Amino acid sequence: MFKSILIWVFGALLLLQAIQIDIPEPEAVDPKAEIKAPEEIMAMLRTSCYDCHSYETKMPWYGHIAPVSWEVKSHIKEGRAWLNFQKWENYDEEKKQKFYKGIVKSINLSMPMPMYLILHKDAKLTRVQRKSIKKWAQSNIKEEN
Ligand code: HEC
């Protein structure tokens, strides 16, 4: 009995592998288009944000296995489409301002995504780190006129 359930579960998982989300291939990366920030900020963005907001995604092995991969890849796809730190200079000023404000707003709660942090302890930011990212983003926000 137990054995046949196991076989069914395993078979179902195998079938699921046929359904995969495709992430579009990275466009040519222009190194000049990458966001410029002080090195300590860049280091934090790289370890905590680049998996979803750049083309430099370090994909864990389980990121390829359905159904986890659906979740993981859709976050990468969406995160990149939303904001790609390697395409920063291609955004117009209005959009950059929107992102700086978005970073100020999201850095304390929603970014990096909490679910991601459960599996990526190294991407966790301390309160002090969050503060310095927030301060950096705020320093780039121009006064509303
Ligand atoms: C696991 C993937 C993932 C990681 C890691 C991640 N993001 Fe995101 N981010 C997303 C997705 C997906 C969206 C799209 C909108 C949403 O779901 O909130 C998003 C949206 C955003 C937005 C736009 C939100 C808005 O209100 O305009 C900002 C700003 C942002 N992320 C900043 C960051 C920063 C800064 C980091 C690192 C500290 C980070 N993100 C790490 C997936 C991620």
Side-chain angles (χ1 to χ4, degrees):
M1 176 64 183
F2 180 67
K3 211 167 143 194
S4 64
I5 291 176
L6 215 63
I7 289 169
W8 273 105
V9 168
F10 192 69
L13 273 176
L14 267 183
L15 281 178
L16 286 186
Q17 304 314 311
I19 312 168
Q20 289 288 354
I21 291 180
D22 282 323
I23 306 177
E25 282 293 311
E27 297 156 32
V29 177
D30 176 3
K32 286 200 288 296
E34 188 168 31
I35 191 165
K36 282 165 201 70
E39 200 38 56
E40 46 150 334
I41 301 291
M42 285 308 295
M44 289 188 269
L45 296 182
R46 286 205 180 94
T47 47
S48 300
C49 319
Y50 265 42
D51 269 353
C52 302
H53 292 296
S54 86
Y55 290 130
E56 283 167 20
T57 303
K58 286 189 226 63
M59 183 71 104
W61 62 267
Y62 52 81
H64 296 286
I65 296 170
V68 177
S69 61
W70 302 341
E71 188 75 13
V72 170
K73 289 188 184 174
S74 71
H75 285 157
I76 294 170
K77 200 168 165 180
E78 220 187 303
R80 272 184 196 165
W82 204 284
L83 159 61
N84 187 333
F85 286 119
Q86 285 179 305
K87 286 166 64 173
W88 184 260
E89 292 304 333
N90 302 341
Y91 299 134
D92 59 26
E93 193 52 38
E94 194 183 338
K95 199 143 192 205
K96 290 182 191 168
Q97 288 294 313
K98 215 187 103 218
F99 286 141
Y100 283 130
K101 286 175 194 160
I103 292 172
V104 171
K105 257 198 298 187
S106 61
I107 197 69
N108 281 325
L109 278 177
S110 56
M111 288 295 147
M113 299 178 85
M115 210 177 68
Y116 167 84
L117 288 178
I118 295 174
L119 295 164
H120 294 80
K121 299 259 184 283
D122 52 323
K124 218 171 200 147
L125 296 166
T126 65
R127 250 186 45 184
V128 176
Q129 286 177 313
R130 285 173 197 270
K131 247 191 181 149
S132 62
I133 292 182
K134 197 169 174 178
K135 227 169 116 188
W136 158 76
Q138 268 163 341
S139 74
N140 284 294
I141 296 174
K142 302 205 170 88
E143 287 301 316
E144 229 106 286
N145 40 27

